[in-house]
Amino acid sequence: MTQPFSVKSVTWREWLGLAAGLLALGSTFLPWTTLDANKPDIEDILSQLPHGDVARDAWNSSFFAWCPPLLLLLAGLVVVVFGRIRTMRVSGLPHLWLVVAAASLLLVALGWFTLDWEFDADQRGIFDVAGIAINPGFGRFLGSLAALVSGVVAFMDVRAMRAETRQSRKREPRSKSR
């Protein structure tokens, strides 16, 4: 018999996983990629352009910007909703969460390395000549932090699940084999 969902039964690790997913989702609406210049005349031109041309949120950036936050949010929701079901935990829900968090971290890291790929070669050439730098925005830092927090907490949840299964094995009486 399954127990009804209870908010009180959700562990702090699971709540933190959901919070990391929500933080990651919130970070998608902040700038993930910004353009910056160290020449005053170019900086004035950039300031006159529409904000969306100078600062891109995750939805207007690359796959490596919007996919990891969605994965983290999905993992956080699944862990909070199904985390108290013993069969789900024993079947590997914490491990699945850890894999999703690690994949999100990998995608975020790839996003940092491919930051300038959001612009084509002609645009990057113009940016180089004009002295315009392509920089990560605050949203990218926040999304990376959320992925890191989710990964650490997922690892802690895997360890906690192992401890739970060890304790339940100690309590079960051993049957005599013939």
Side-chain angles (χ1 to χ4, degrees), residues 125-139:
I126 292 169
F127 292 163
D128 284 341
V129 170
I132 298 174
I134 303 168
N135 296 321
F138 182 68

Side-chain angles (χ1 to χ4, degrees), residues 14 28 38 41 48 52 57 65-66 89 91 94 102 107 135 173 175:
E14 294 162 345
T28 62
N38 42 350
D41 54 338
Q48 294 173 5
D57 60 15
W66 59 263
R89 284 190 61 77
S91 297
L107 290 173
N135 296 321
S175 63

Side-chain angles (χ1 to χ4, degrees), residues 8-131:
K8 292 180 182 179
S9 68
V10 178
T11 67
W12 65 269
R13 292 179 306 276
E14 294 162 345
W15 282 124
L16 203 51
L18 179 61
L22 291 171
L23 178 65
L25 179 67
S27 75
T28 62
F29 299 102
L30 298 172
W32 275 61
T33 307
T34 60
L35 299 178
D36 192 24
N38 42 350
K39 297 178 184 175
D41 54 338
I42 301 296
E43 189 67 40
D44 288 340
I45 293 171
L46 287 176
S47 66
Q48 294 173 5
L49 292 174
H51 182 72
D53 291 345
V54 179
R56 292 182 176 182
D57 60 15
W59 305 108
N60 294 314
S61 294
S62 68
F63 170 80
F64 300 115
W66 59 263
C67 181
L70 290 181
L71 287 174
L72 292 172
L73 178 64
L74 181 63
L77 288 171
V78 167
V79 165
V80 164
V81 172
F82 298 110
R84 295 291 89 212
I85 301 172
R86 176 141 175 81
T87 55
M88 296 289 281
R89 284 190 61 77
V90 173
S91 297
L93 182 63
H95 294 88
L96 180 63
W97 177 18
L98 182 60
V99 167
V100 169
S104 295
L105 270 171
L106 177 65
L107 290 173
V108 165
L110 287 172
W112 281 88
F113 289 115
T114 61
L115 185 63
D116 59 344
W117 291 7
E118 293 178 25
F119 302 94
D120 62 30
D122 292 336
Q123 288 174 322
R124 289 192 308 264
I126 292 169
F127 292 163
D128 284 341
V129 170

